Amino acid sequence: MPSAIPSRDSSLELQQQVQSSLDLHSPLRIEGGNTKAFYGRPAVQTSNVLDLQKHTGVLDYDPSELAITIRAGTRLKDLEVLLASHQQMLAFEPPSFGINSTIGGVVAAGISGPRRAFSGSIRDAILGVEMINGEGKIVHFGGQVMKNVAGYDMSRLMVRSMGTLGAILSVSLRLLPKPEKEITYVLERTQKEAFIGSQKWRRDHIPMSATTWYRGKLYVRLSGTEITLNAVESHFLNVEKAEVLADDVAFWLAIKNHQHIFFQRISKPLWRLSLPANTPVIARFEGDLLVEWGGAQRWISNNAPANIIRSVAKRFGGYATLFHGQKQLPEVPPFPILAPELFALHKSLKRKLDPQNIFNPGRLYLGL
Amino acid sequence: MNTQLESHNSLLFALREILEEKHLLTDKEDLKPYECDGLSAYQCLPLAVVLPETIEEVQKIVRVCESLRIPIVARGAGTGLSGGALPDEGGIILGLSRFNNILDIDDENMTMRVQPGVRNLAISEAAAPYGLYYAPDPSSQIACSIGGNVAENAGGVHCLKYGLTVHNVLEVKIVTVEGEMITLGSNTLDTPGYDLLALITGSEGMLGIIVEVLVKLLPRPPLTKVLMAAFDNIEDAGHAVGAIISAGVIPAGLEMMDRLAIQAAEAFAHAGYPLDAEAILLCELDGNKEQLNEQVSIVADTLRGANATTVVMASSKEEQAKLWAGRKAAFPAVGRISPDYYCMDGTIPRKNIASVLKRINELSEKYDLRVANVFHAGDGNLHPLILFDANRRGELKKAERFGADILELCVKMGGTITGEHGVGREKIDQMCVQFNLDELTQFHSVKHAFDPYELLNPGKAVPALHRCAELGAMHVHNGELPHPEIPRF
Ligand SMILES: Cc1cc2nc3c(=O)[nH]c(=O)nc-3n(C[C@H](O)[C@H](O)[C@H](O)COP(=O)(O)OP(=O)(O)OC[C@H]3O[C@@H](n4cnc5c(N)ncnc54)[C@H](O)[C@@H]3O)c2cc1C
């Protein structure tokens, strides 16, 4: 499949670097486009950088398979352009925090965008992975087929591992056809009404693909064919008294990539709350707040102490991640604290898969 | 020998402290029902069967076994088709059939919390009053347990659109081999840390005992339609599958049957299938009225464009049920035309369906065994049913070799040896074909992180490295072993 994406296979060179790091017990910093350096714990201070940017290209793409295999250093942007030219897309709509964002980084960080609550996350879409493991070997797991239960699911394990379990060389991802049309309605709603609305539309099979609530306004994106969207138009305009958002493409891009005014104006630390969707309005966090995913993802910009924010999230069965603000709060672990038995299992897994502790040590949690 | 006897005695002594007598089975006739799962070619009696009712009991049992180094094989409903729940002769079966309660239905979040022994279909039945259902629907859904579904990452007819078990389970509680209870996943859309929920899904009882499951429910689709298309040759049917997907439609289900399967199913279920067709496709579409009408016309046009000889559409519930009846009865129907059959489960990229089916037919001639194909075409998940007669000398072995060839073919075509039935005991040798020693070593590392003494379901799912080394040395060409008389299992 010809494409404009340069094909450069650096796997052997990368493998050699991992091998010599193993030989020297020298920790590695795995780097793609370096656009998410702000996210998670700081990377290990070293000049031993495993640069994945030089490992790019499409290995296999047959649109009728709804799957693609690409090298990890391929830029997200280039991939999206390629898929769009075949009317396809990544279902999880990953954010991009810089033009050089690579697909390997997207997988390792595991952050999904606005469509996530409706068509699945990155871990739902991953089908296979090729990686350099803690023994310095290049290994493959999974493939391009959706149904595959041979062996443990190493591909999904790489998602959101922040590079601590190995260096991803290539990934296979499931794709979706791009919707023929999208339209966004804006409704005046309180946060609570917004939740009830999203809930009801979902049950009525309204083809929603994103929701955002911000300052009394609910933005609902619908995706589908012309006919299906026309069929619900009068409901939204006449019954829900909604308005059509004119620059909807720009709006969702801004939400996805954190360029929306809410994210731009922030001076306090930015927290991402992951909650059961029906969690009531949390009075304490009513200040500056942006709600996505029908209520399941809430962004707050707040100076409250970390332990308060975390315990409130926990009380509702959720988690708080310090997404941006490690500078202000260097002492706060950015990722939610795990139960001790669960953390022990993480450590045991890390020790088995990366016995020399060379892959991004400490990037996810201290001690991992 | 004596120390073994001693440890068995201490085991039984300790288990009696935990369980009532009727929930600790040790007599031969009580153990008999547990000697195999749905793949009865493999049988073995365990030392004992324990049937706990609470998580605390599971924890205590596991701790006892761990301290005595006694293997533990978890068992749900025993419908597995790869010998996953096959007992270990020196170990116990930990049956979860008494964990059969629905703990909570959360209508607002559209989730249900259940114990692992709850049957798959019982979940959808309990969700029905809320207009909800649980999407993964293995054909065994009236019998199989949700715990077994998680352990196998079970699929079903509708997973093309709605995903496998891994896409529909939010949280699982496991008891580790040390007896700790750990929660993996959560009731939110993201859980911090490694995705151990994905790791436990499909892990075949090798990493922990699943003691509670939180599943995602979906609103029932308002309308469904089923199309049936007949084809004069199997290649056309294979290509039609890719053409539908390329047209931008993701059907709820897309199933294929070949001539032998059609004939067996029709004789059994009278579904109205055309007996002169070489292959049929069944395509289920769902959604709102407008969505559905549009998709139906796209799919019907695509099927005709792909040389379908007839396209029949079922709108009413009754007509749809009739079309599905043949597909659902296909396995038992094939069972009626042959004394035995051996069900395979490879997956291949959709584009290779036609060529792989052709090759399977060639192999069928080579081995002189008939094969019927009934399968999840949309996912490329094949279920060739190899027909044989176990009473004829050597036929089971021949069927197994034929099966092994099919699986190796799947791997060669970019697929996998198992799409949904798991490796279990059955496909342990084919794992050596799909994965090299470095990859298998990595699987063992994962296993050891959870289960350092290999007490959970030993001898399943991931082969010991020396086993592959020996097999590798034995392999000549075409995956044919030089000494077929040597037992391989
Ligand atoms: C007629 C028929 C049709 C089938 N159709 C399908 C199909 O369409 N799709 C499909 O995917 N499968 C299908 N199967 C296979 C089987 O039903 C599934 O694999 C099912 O998920 C097994 O569930 P079970 O409760 O019977 O598990 P079991 O057979 O009891 O166990 C299966 C494996 O899971 C482990 N296990 C079970 N419970 C637990 C637990 N609580 N904790 C840890 N490990 C556990 C066991 O150790 C074993 O390795 C079919 C089987 C039959 C007989």
Side-chain angles (χ1 to χ4, degrees), chain B residues 316-450:
Chain B
S316 75
K317 281 260 167 298
E318 295 71 34
E319 287 170 331
Q320 293 182 14
K322 197 172 153 200
L323 280 183
W324 274 123
R327 165 63 183 94
K328 289 193 171 150
F331 285 28
V334 169
R336 297 211 323 178
I337 61 167
S338 169
D340 299 281
Y341 68 81
Y342 185 32
C343 173
M344 309 310 297
D345 174 45
T347 305
I348 49 166
R350 275 184 288 271
K351 63 184 169 207
N352 296 331
I353 289 178
S355 61
V356 167
L357 290 177
K358 219 171 121 211
R359 180 72 190 131
I360 290 178
N361 282 336
E362 288 163 16
L363 287 170
S364 157
E365 275 173 31
K366 176 179 150 191
Y367 283 101
D368 194 24
L369 291 175
R370 289 182 299 165
V371 58
N373 283 292
V374 191
F375 64 99
H376 311 302
D379 306 304
N381 185 196
L382 307 177
H383 286 326
L385 303 174
I386 300 171
L387 312 193
F388 71 100
D389 182 350
N391 288 327
R392 283 207 204 144
R393 248 181 83 89
E395 255 196 19
L396 169 63
K397 280 266 150 353
K398 199 157 80 162
E400 283 180 347
R401 280 210 309 281
F402 183 1
D405 277 2
I406 293 177
L407 297 187
E408 287 170 28
L409 174 65
C410 291
V411 175
K412 219 183 303 171
M413 300 307 271
T416 169
I417 57 172
T418 173
E420 57 182 16
H421 295 167
V423 174
R425 171 59 66 82
E426 180 204 20
K427 291 182 272 289
I428 198 101
D429 286 344
Q430 278 78 43
M431 284 293 281
C432 312
V433 176
Q434 184 161 346
F435 297 100
N436 66 30
L437 292 184
D438 293 331
E439 290 154 352
L440 293 170
T441 302
Q442 184 156 335
F443 288 148
H444 285 294
S445 301
V446 170
K447 166 78 172 169
H448 292 153
F450 283 78

Side-chain angles (χ1 to χ4, degrees), chain B residues 91-286:
Chain B
I92 62 159
I93 285 282
L94 198 161
L96 291 136
S97 51
R98 293 173 70 218
F99 278 84
N100 57 1
N101 294 312
I102 288 172
L103 301 174
D104 182 42
I105 301 177
D106 182 343
D107 183 24
E108 280 196 348
N109 279 314
M110 300 197 280
T111 61
M112 195 185 299
R113 191 171 285 281
V114 296
Q115 291 188 318
V118 170
R119 289 173 307 114
N120 173 296
L121 188 62
I123 298 178
S124 286
E125 284 169 354
Y130 302 88
L132 302 170
Y133 77 113
Y134 175 63
D137 55 345
S139 315
S140 51
Q141 69 178 161
I142 39 168
C144 64
S145 73
I146 186 70
N149 290 171
V150 174
E152 298 284 10
N153 191 13
V157 166
H158 293 98
C159 58
L160 177 58
K161 183 164 178 184
Y162 297 106
L164 305 158
T165 303
V166 72
H167 302 105
N168 290 280
V169 165
L170 299 168
E171 181 197 292
V172 158
K173 286 195 168 71
I174 61 164
V175 169
T176 66
V177 75
E178 277 104 27
E180 300 262 26
M181 191 179 75
I182 299 188
T183 303
L184 311 177
S186 72
N187 190 10
T188 71
L189 292 181
D190 278 281
T191 306
Y194 297 141
D195 197 340
L196 301 185
L197 177 60
L199 200 57
I200 201 85
T201 308
S203 67
E204 305 194 20
M206 304 273 293
L207 304 181
I209 310 295
I210 296 155
V211 292
E212 197 176 294
V213 184
L214 180 73
V215 300
K216 177 165 109 181
L217 303 173
L218 296 178
R220 282 222 162 270
L223 294 167
T224 55
K225 277 194 176 148
V226 180
L227 282 83
M228 180 193 68
F231 294 85
D232 274 345
N233 68 69
I234 203 139
E235 280 89 0
D236 282 345
H239 293 140
V241 172
I244 291 172
I245 307 287
S246 296
V249 177
I250 300 191
L254 185 54
E255 301 281 307
M256 184 158 155
M257 294 166 74
D258 72 0
R259 188 182 184 92
L260 189 53
I262 297 169
Q263 304 208 324
E266 185 58 24
F268 187 65
H270 311 291
Y273 296 159
L275 289 170
D276 55 347
E278 282 300 319
I280 59 169
L281 282 181
L282 287 174
C283 177
E284 181 170 305
L285 299 162
D286 63 15

Side-chain angles (χ1 to χ4, degrees), chain A residues 125-353:
Chain A
I126 194 161
L127 300 171
V129 63
E130 177 194 20
M131 61 191 273
I132 311 176
N133 71 13
E135 310 284 340
K137 309 285 194 218
I138 295 182
V139 285
H140 285 89
F141 300 99
Q144 279 213 350
V145 294
M146 178 162 114
K147 288 171 89 170
N148 184 355
V149 293
Y152 305 122
D153 193 339
M154 303 307 300
S155 320
R156 289 196 169 82
L157 189 61
M158 296 309 285
V159 176
R160 68 174 199 250
S161 67
M162 294 297 282
T164 57
L165 296 176
I168 302 170
L169 286 178
S170 67
V171 291
S172 299
L173 296 169
R174 183 171 193 241
L175 307 172
L176 278 189
K178 219 177 168 53
E180 186 180 305
K181 199 180 158 189
E182 306 207 301
I183 184 165
T184 298
Y185 292 109
V186 191
L187 304 91
E188 302 279 339
R189 291 290 187 278
T190 64
Q191 197 189 333
K192 179 149 187 238
E193 291 163 349
F195 165 73
I196 295 168
S198 314
Q199 187 76 357
K200 182 177 169 301
W201 298 323
R202 177 167 258 204
R203 296 193 110 147
D204 291 346
H205 297 269
I206 302 286
M208 284 190 290
S209 67
T211 71
T212 286
W213 180 89
Y214 179 63
R215 298 206 165 168
K217 285 201 167 66
L218 173 64
Y219 304 80
V220 191
R221 183 176 66 190
L222 310 185
S223 303
T225 60
E226 184 95 42
I227 297 174
T228 53
L229 295 189
N230 285 347
V232 293
E233 186 181 13
S234 80
H235 173 79
F236 274 90
L237 294 180
N238 304 327
V239 183
E240 306 278 0
K241 304 279 180 248
E243 278 175 24
V244 176
L245 184 68
D247 50 354
D248 59 329
V249 174
F251 176 82
W252 291 108
L253 210 58
I255 292 289
K256 173 171 88 89
N257 295 339
H258 289 193
Q259 283 147 355
H260 183 269
I261 186 156
F262 166 78
F263 296 101
Q264 290 300 308
R265 273 211 321 233
I266 287 175
S267 54
K268 301 171 204 160
L270 176 66
W271 290 86
R272 175 171 160 279
L273 309 184
S274 191
L275 297 162
N278 72 341
T279 304
V281 175
I282 304 175
R284 219 190 143 114
F285 303 147
E286 258 192 300
D288 227 8
L289 169 81
L290 187 139
V291 182
E292 286 189 272
W293 302 356
Q297 170 160 279
R298 305 182 193 182
W299 299 94
I300 59 169
S301 160
N302 204 298
N303 267 334
N307 58 347
I308 302 273
I309 294 181
R310 291 219 148 111
S311 68
V312 171
K314 194 169 169 195
R315 178 144 44 87
F316 292 104
Y319 303 94
T321 301
L322 177 59
F323 197 85
H324 232 303
Q326 283 78 325
K327 286 221 177 68
Q328 293 121 296
L329 301 170
E331 302 302 316
V332 173
F335 295 113
I337 293 143
L338 304 178
E341 325 79 68
L342 182 59
F343 190 62
L345 202 49
H346 277 66
K347 275 177 112 161
S348 148
L349 195 61
K350 165 80 172 173
R351 256 202 306 277
K352 290 288 173 198
L353 295 181

